[in-house]
Amino acid sequence: MMKSDVEIKDFVYHKIKGAELERAVTGKLSKKGRPNKSDKEDIVISVLSNEGCGQTQRAYVNVNIYVRDKWNAETKAWEEATERVGELCDLSKFLFSIRKDDFHTVPSECSQKTNPTGVSFEDGHTEHFINNKLYIEINNDV
């Protein structure tokens, strides 16, 4: 039976819930989008695609982690907090090899990159996000 987007998000959510990654961030873990006006380190899970209704179902899932930029007094600009981003990237790597029952990620098809969000907050600070793109295969009973 084909798994829904909700079931796929639940699989990823329960793998992160209580893990070191969730404990390390300052914000919330969410399957419903980022909390309104949050400037914390939130983890947001979203399904990009969900295909296949036969024995093998394929899904791409984003696990985005938002990280506040650091102020550089010398350049007078907000810059990526590379040390913090690196820590959270390392803590995210377990996502590329998670499995439970019929669900499993395919590490060779997963990726991780960091981008600016392009958002400026009221106090002027900016942020980056770590995009963990997971490729998940689901073995359905036929």
Side-chain angles (χ1 to χ4, degrees), residues 65-80:
I65 306 166
Y66 296 85
V67 183
R68 182 184 179 112
D69 289 345
K70 289 175 73 169
W71 178 254
N72 182 327
E74 286 181 23
T75 62
K76 300 195 177 349
W78 291 96
E79 297 176 354
E80 179 182 337

Side-chain angles (χ1 to χ4, degrees), residues 47 68 70 75 81 83 92 98:
V47 175
R68 182 184 179 112
K70 289 175 73 169
T75 62
E83 189 173 309
S92 303
I98 54 177

Side-chain angles (χ1 to χ4, degrees), residues 34 66 115-121 126-129:
R34 194 165 184 206
Y66 296 85
N115 294 304
T117 61
V119 174
S120 287
F121 287 79
T126 55
E127 64 184 2
H128 278 70
F129 70 99

Side-chain angles (χ1 to χ4, degrees), residues 12-141:
V12 176
Y13 179 91
H14 289 295
K15 289 297 181 178
I16 299 171
K17 187 73 183 156
E20 191 176 352
L21 174 62
E22 185 198 19
R23 293 191 308 271
V25 299
T26 60
K28 297 198 178 320
L29 168 63
S30 174
K31 303 179 277 185
K32 298 177 182 170
R34 194 165 184 206
N36 193 29
K37 296 187 178 185
S38 175
D39 66 351
K40 296 191 176 344
E41 295 173 344
D42 298 304
I43 304 170
V44 179
I45 302 164
S46 57
V47 175
L48 299 176
S49 68
N50 179 4
E51 302 168 351
C53 56
Q55 186 172 1
T56 302
Q57 182 179 341
R58 295 161 298 283
Y60 277 103
V61 177
N62 271 348
V63 178
N64 289 336
I65 306 166
Y66 296 85
V67 183
R68 182 184 179 112
D69 289 345
K70 289 175 73 169
W71 178 254
N72 182 327
E74 286 181 23
T75 62
K76 300 195 177 349
W78 291 96
E79 297 176 354
E80 179 182 337
T82 53
E83 189 173 309
R84 182 63 177 154
V85 166
E87 291 170 10
L88 295 174
C89 283
D90 285 344
L91 289 175
S92 303
K93 288 183 180 165
F94 81 96
L95 294 169
F96 302 143
S97 58
I98 54 177
R99 58 176 52 242
K100 180 178 188 274
D101 301 329
D102 299 331
F103 293 80
H104 70 277
T105 53
V106 179
S108 62
E109 299 295 322
C110 296
S111 65
Q112 183 181 72
K113 62 184 178 179
T114 305
N115 294 304
T117 61
V119 174
S120 287
F121 287 79
E122 288 179 19
D123 66 0
H125 86 267
T126 55
E127 64 184 2
H128 278 70
F129 70 99
I130 302 162
N131 171 241
N132 294 287
K133 187 175 181 182
L134 310 181
Y135 176 72
I136 299 173
E137 285 187 349
I138 303 150
N139 295 321
N140 294 314
D141 296 328

